[in-house]
Structures are given as C-alpha cells and as structure tokens.
Amino acid sequence: MKTKLLSFILLGCIAMRLHAQQFTARNVAIGLSQPREYSVDDIDGDGFLDIIVAEFSGNSISILYGTGNLANFTKVTLNGLVRSANGSAVKPWSTLVMDVDGDNQKDILFSNYNVSVGNDGLFWLRNTGNRTFSSSAQTLQLLNRCRGIYKANFDADPEDEIIIAGDNSTVGNIRMFNLNTTNSSISQFESYSGLNRPLHITSTDYNQDGFQDLIFTKYGTGSEQGLNASINTNGVTIINSPFPGSIDVETLIDNSDVSVRGTRKTIAFDFNEDGLVDFASVSLGNGNWTNLQSRENVSGTQTSHLSVQNGSRSMVSLAGGDFNNDNVPDIVVADNSADEILFFENTATSGTATPNITFNSPTILTSAVMDPYWIESADLDGDGDLDIIVTCTNGNGANQGFVTVFENEAIVLSTPEFTSQNIKLITSDTDIIISNLPTSVKSGCLYDISGRLIRTQKINSQNNLFALQGIQAGVYILQLSTPNTIFKIVKQ
C-alpha cells in the first residue's frame, strides 16, 4: 500500500504535579433518573465528543451533545423507551455507540437490567439522522440481568465484536457476538457461564500478539468474607484471544493477596513502564470493606493502595490515564460514601522501568459530587489533556441525578516550535514508521480517545515499526517512552 503522512499534533510540553485547582467542575446535565454507565463518542458526526447516558429508573437515555466548550452541552433526552416486541418499559444500565444497520449512522445500543428473563438483554435505538432516534427499542439479544456491554476487535477481520455481561444473580455469564449489519442482527459465537456476576468489561492486547484480549470483573455473591475467602469468586479475569478456539483464561486479581469482594470495575495500563500491561480495580464488597488494588501483569504481585474497613469509603468506579502530563498513567476513583473524586498520582518515571506499581497518597479533587456512580476520562474539548466525567445518582432520588465534567486545564495543544526532537511518523494500513528515534525510547503505547490502552509495543531506532493491524480507523494517542513525545494520530 502507498504510504501517507500521518496526521499528528504534539500534545505535551511541561510535566506538572496534578492538583485540585487544575480542574474546573461543571454540572452539564441535571434532572436525570439514576444515571448509570455511559459512553463517549461523536454520535452526530460534528467533530465534538458527546456523552450518551443510561438513566436506569427514568426509562430513558440522555445524550449530551458536545460543542467543544465544556460549559455548554446540548441535552436531548429519549423518553418513554419501550421494547418493540412487547411494549414493556426498559431500565437502561449501560450504553454503547455502534452502526448496527450499516447506514453509516451511529446507533445507540443499551443493556436492560429489569431483573426479568423475558425483558432483559441488549437493545438498540436506530439513528434516523438530525439527532433523532427510533422511539422503540429493537431487540438484539435477550439475556437475564444484562449489565456491562462492550465492543472491540478480537480477531483478524475489520469488524468489532460485541460482548455482554449478564450478572444473573450468583451465576452470571459472558457472551460474545458477531454483528451482521445487513440484517441488523447479532450471532453468538462463544459463551461462558458460572462467572459470579460479571459487571464491567474492557480489553487490552495483554500478550502483545496483535489481538485484543477480554477482561471482566466479577462482583460475586456478596457473602464472601476475609482476605482468603473464595479466591476465584470475586476479582478480575482475562480471556486471551483469538476466540473461539483454544480458550486461555487467567485470573488477574483475586483474594489471594487482598480482599476483592464486590469487584466493580477494572482498567489496564503499563503503570510501571516495563513494557507489560498491568491492571487495577476497585472493590466495593458487602458491608464495610472497600479497596483499590493493582497487579503487575499476571506473574506479578497484587498491591492494595487504599483499603478501608470502617465504612467511611465506598470506591465504586475508577478511570486511568495521564492526567498530569508526565507521560505515565495515573488513576482517578469515585468514592460513593465520601462523595469524593480521588486522584492517585503514579510515582513511575516515563521511560524507566520499575519493579513495583506505587502511587502517592490520594489527592481529593472534590468532595461535593453527591453519590458518584461511574467515572471515565476523555479529551472532551480537544486540548490535549484528559477530562473526567462522572455520573451521580444523588441518593437515587427520582430526577435528581446529574452528570459532572471536570475540565482538565493542565495544558493546551503545543505550538509548532515543539518539534518533538525531530521525530517523524509515517503510516500505512498496517504500521506506523517512526524515524529519528532518540536512544531513550524503548517502547510505545497507543491509547484511544477515552484513554483506554489499545496496544503496547517495544520499539527503538533499530526496530521502529509500531503495528496497526486489527486497529480500526479513528483518532488515537501515541505515547513514546521518553518525555514530551505524545502524538495525536489519525488512522484513516
């Protein structure tokens, strides 16, 4: 294939320690009914990221259309959602943006958690253009107590697959589907059961074979007690792709070292700069135990970074990314009991491998978010740093929930005099060719716009190809393991 110059913008310039004043909190949507999980995507194609929120008790989904100004979102609520098959109301739990019918319009998929075998599952709202959607929810798959939904490319074809987590009381299952846009249907190709209530799904190329691997949390029965109880009941598990075929299942975080009762959410980053993917998760538990823990890939040890047994904290969600622009990933956590957003600064140094994952004591970014539920990060305003998005249930009261955006004001896009040490990037359909690499560069990490780690790869001046096989067209962040080398890239 003929190569073409890769579009890039240098983002980082001066690393700084993150502090609370670096963020400006903005309530961008109010009057929501128990907002749960959400997705971030440019659903209307205007070049600005939008936030698509599931309202669990409102029988509705709200779309916050971005304008590039984080003080100004346009809220449109899709009210009175019903299943087209039987006319029953739904309870959206999680949203996903995907073109279901192949018309090049981004549709909304959502999971329904109505605790009803005949009514729960995965549904979609067809995008009819001009910010309008179908009023009836079309059924894609029935699945009891459907929670987390996710998409990623787990095989060699160019299409994303869909993954669904069904918590199904104490049993639970993970189901994997291919999407057929010709007839707007999905077909199951793999299923796992007996998984103790899987909730959250994500992915990363853990074994660096060019394929995304599936990661999910297990919430458990809620009855587990103590550090060593039911090692595999709660925690984080990975299924290595490609699948179907020979399935390789590994436990990432469990009760062998720290209590992980009620594991809610997990993230995957190279926290200690050793070129391998690591993992962190939050666990709510049943009672007073709550925990933030990490693991240095599968072969490493688990570490508890904040563990509380007295009920003063309830860590329900976390997100990762480089929030202070020092080229190493940090963590932000939503604390539902203290109504706080906590920032855990990574102590690692960019480009220098360390044997352990360690974080500084948490900084409180805010103590006034009123029952935070779900937290993610994304560059909402395109200024080169990660902003924070939080849904808040406000005591679960009807029409009292809201969405808060924390605008990160650490940096702005750098000016042309920053030449990134004369590093040049050229891409083809399969690779990024990186020339003029300094000797300090040992690896590269590719992130999507939400901060999710897509791929980690060792590179140097002799091996200067960063693989793009299996990665869809879109906007990404390429971070090289040396200061001030963060690029915004566009794969066509």
Side-chain angles (χ1 to χ4, degrees), residues 364-400:
I364 300 174
L365 300 186
T366 181
S367 298
V369 284
M370 296 296 291
D371 298 311
Y373 183 83
W374 200 254
I375 187 169
E376 298 281 5
S377 62
D379 183 7
L380 292 172
D381 51 8
D383 66 352
D385 45 33
L386 287 175
D387 309 299
I388 300 170
I389 311 145
V390 184
T391 53
C392 304
T393 62
N394 195 10
N396 291 336
N399 301 318
Q400 294 181 8

Side-chain angles (χ1 to χ4, degrees), residues 155-445:
D155 52 30
D157 66 28
E159 303 298 328
D160 278 345
E161 287 74 51
I162 301 173
I163 312 298
I164 306 175
D167 104 17
N168 194 18
S169 188
T170 61
V171 182
N173 51 65
I174 290 284
R175 296 191 184 183
M176 306 176 185
F177 297 89
N178 287 312
L179 172 65
N180 186 336
T181 57
T182 301
N183 58 11
S184 305
S185 66
I186 59 176
S187 56
Q188 179 175 302
F189 65 86
E190 193 61 71
S191 177
Y192 302 89
S193 60
L195 298 180
N196 297 100
R197 304 180 66 185
L199 293 187
H200 174 240
I201 308 168
T202 187
S203 68
T204 188
D205 184 6
Y206 164 69
N207 52 10
Q208 301 183 19
D209 63 353
F211 296 100
Q212 289 290 291
D213 303 302
L214 177 65
I215 306 165
F216 61 93
T217 61
K218 294 183 290 186
Y219 189 72
T221 65
S223 62
E224 299 83 357
Q225 302 292 326
L227 291 174
N228 298 313
S230 303
I231 287 178
N232 293 318
T233 303
N234 297 174
V236 181
T237 297
I238 186 169
I239 303 174
N240 290 300
S241 62
F243 41 73
S246 177
I247 303 300
D248 182 11
V249 180
E250 301 178 61
T251 298
L252 301 176
I253 295 176
D254 58 31
N255 276 335
S256 60
D257 298 313
V258 293
S259 175
V260 294
R261 292 185 296 146
T263 308
R264 295 289 296 269
K265 188 182 178 187
T266 188
I267 54 177
F269 289 90
D270 180 9
F271 288 108
N272 57 346
E273 295 288 291
D274 64 354
L276 300 175
V277 179
D278 312 303
F279 308 91
S281 67
V282 283
S283 299
L284 177 62
N286 181 36
N288 294 329
W289 194 290
T290 186
N291 203 342
L292 166 68
Q293 62 277 327
S294 68
R295 182 173 191 128
E296 297 161 23
N297 51 77
V298 169
S299 60
T301 59
Q302 296 177 198
T303 302
S304 179
H305 299 288
L306 183 58
S307 184
V308 181
Q309 289 181 273
N310 60 12
S312 62
R313 292 196 178 277
S314 178
M315 288 172 281
V316 295
S317 185
L318 81 166
D322 181 14
F323 295 98
N324 55 359
N325 302 292
D326 61 356
N327 289 357
V328 294
D330 312 296
I331 291 176
V332 289
V333 174
D335 186 336
N336 185 265
S337 179
D339 291 336
E340 292 178 345
I341 303 300
L342 304 174
F343 170 70
F344 290 80
E345 182 184 35
N346 191 348
T347 63
T349 300
S350 176
T352 303
T354 58
N356 299 305
I357 300 170
T358 58
F359 297 93
N360 287 324
S361 297
T363 298
I364 300 174
L365 300 186
T366 181
S367 298
V369 284
M370 296 296 291
D371 298 311
Y373 183 83
W374 200 254
I375 187 169
E376 298 281 5
S377 62
D379 183 7
L380 292 172
D381 51 8
D383 66 352
D385 45 33
L386 287 175
D387 309 299
I388 300 170
I389 311 145
V390 184
T391 53
C392 304
T393 62
N394 195 10
N396 291 336
N399 301 318
Q400 294 181 8
F402 55 95
V403 174
T404 297
V405 169
F406 295 84
E407 181 177 0
N408 191 343
E409 299 173 333
I411 61 170
V412 295
L413 288 176
S414 59
T415 53
E417 63 263 23
F418 291 95
T419 60
S420 187
Q421 307 174 61
N422 295 316
I423 296 175
K424 298 184 184 300
L425 288 76
I426 297 176
T427 186
S428 67
D429 291 342
T430 58
D431 299 288
I432 301 172
I433 304 172
I434 311 171
S435 58
N436 297 334
L437 273 174
T439 57
S440 58
V441 175
K442 305 298 182 184
S443 64
C445 295

Side-chain angles (χ1 to χ4, degrees), residues 63-77:
I63 306 174
L64 311 181
Y65 288 103
T67 64
N69 179 355
L70 299 194
N72 184 22
F73 284 80
T74 301
K75 176 187 169 187
V76 174
T77 299

